[in-house]
């Protein structure tokens, strides 16, 4: 009980510090292309992030020559995944930057555009964004693409750079772009 109250208080403080107001708005983001006066990132590209805010970023330790000792090792992503304390605070900040009318952090996944499974930069804000959990192509849809690309890279069917580029450009077409979808 105490930890729930602490978590709620922490979230409220973080939202307040970001200048956000908690609402009971509907799940999902504001209308397509909506940009509130305080927002700096556009929602017009959903289900993709605004490329001017989140173009993606790579982990320099992951290259084609290191995949067998990094991303292709089961459990490796756990060694580089940033703590929730970092991603939760960033999510609150970025919800404001996108001007989402729904400010409930539970309705978004702070997602790596270039996933850790493909050697995306773990903590770079250019690679993390508040991806809506609801809508036509919710966050769970991208997870399937990430997993298929990782398997293809580790199986040697797709080069790491091709997979990274495809998912950073448009995760909804990444599989067909690399020839596995």
């Amino acid at each position: 009980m105490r930890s729930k109250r602490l978590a709620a208080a922490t979230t409220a403080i973080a939202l307040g510090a970001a200048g956000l107001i908690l609402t009971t708005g509907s799940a999902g983001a504001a209308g397509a292309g909506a940009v509130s006066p305080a927002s700096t990132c556009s929602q017009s590209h959903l289900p993709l992030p605004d490329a001017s805010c989140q173009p993606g970023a790579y982990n320099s330790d992951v290259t084609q020559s290191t995949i067998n000792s990094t991303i292709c090792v089961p459990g490796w992503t756990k060694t580089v995944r940033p703590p929730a304390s970092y991603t939760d605070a960033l999510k609150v900040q970025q919800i404001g930057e996108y001007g989402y009318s729904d400010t409930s952090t539970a309705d978004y996944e702070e997602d790596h555009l270039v996933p850790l499974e493909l050697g995306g930069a773990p903590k770079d804000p250019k690679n993390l964004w508040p991806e809506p959990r609801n809508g036509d192509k919710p966050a769970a849809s991208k997870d399937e693409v990430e997993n298929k690309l990782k398997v293809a890279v580790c199986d040697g069917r797709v080069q790491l750079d091709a997979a990274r580029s495809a998912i950073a450009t448009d995760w909804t077409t990444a599989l067909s772009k690399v020839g596995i979808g």
Side-chain angles (χ1 to χ4, degrees), residues 10-87:
T10 303
T11 299
I13 291 167
L15 287 169
L20 299 174
I21 300 170
L22 285 174
T23 67
T24 57
S26 62
V35 177
S36 76
S39 65
T40 56
C41 303
S42 174
Q43 299 171 34
S44 66
H45 307 287
L46 289 174
L48 308 174
D50 181 336
S52 67
C53 294
Q54 281 80 37
Y58 302 158
N59 179 341
S60 61
D61 293 336
V62 180
T63 64
Q64 187 67 43
S65 64
T66 66
I67 62 172
N68 290 321
S69 61
T70 55
I71 65 169
C72 298
V73 174
W76 180 82
T77 59
K78 290 178 187 173
T79 69
V80 296
R81 187 169 303 283
S85 59
Y86 175 79
T87 57

Side-chain angles (χ1 to χ4, degrees), residues 61-149:
D61 293 336
V62 180
T63 64
Q64 187 67 43
S65 64
T66 66
I67 62 172
N68 290 321
S69 61
T70 55
I71 65 169
C72 298
V73 174
W76 180 82
T77 59
K78 290 178 187 173
T79 69
V80 296
R81 187 169 303 283
S85 59
Y86 175 79
T87 57
D88 288 350
L90 185 60
K91 183 192 316 188
V92 168
Q93 174 189 331
Q94 291 177 335
I95 285 172
E97 290 171 358
Y98 272 88
Y100 289 134
S101 61
D102 173 6
T103 58
S104 172
T105 57
D107 291 336
Y108 303 91
E109 174 181 325
E110 188 66 8
D111 192 43
H112 291 90
L113 178 59
V114 178
L116 299 178
E117 293 89 339
L118 294 174
K123 291 178 106 176
D124 191 328
K126 292 179 182 177
N127 196 44
L128 285 155
W129 72 293
E131 182 179 18
R133 292 189 190 274
N134 304 297
D136 293 337
K137 297 203 184 247
S141 301
K142 182 173 177 279
D143 294 342
E144 293 176 31
V145 173
E146 295 170 1
N147 293 333
K148 288 178 181 181
L149 285 172

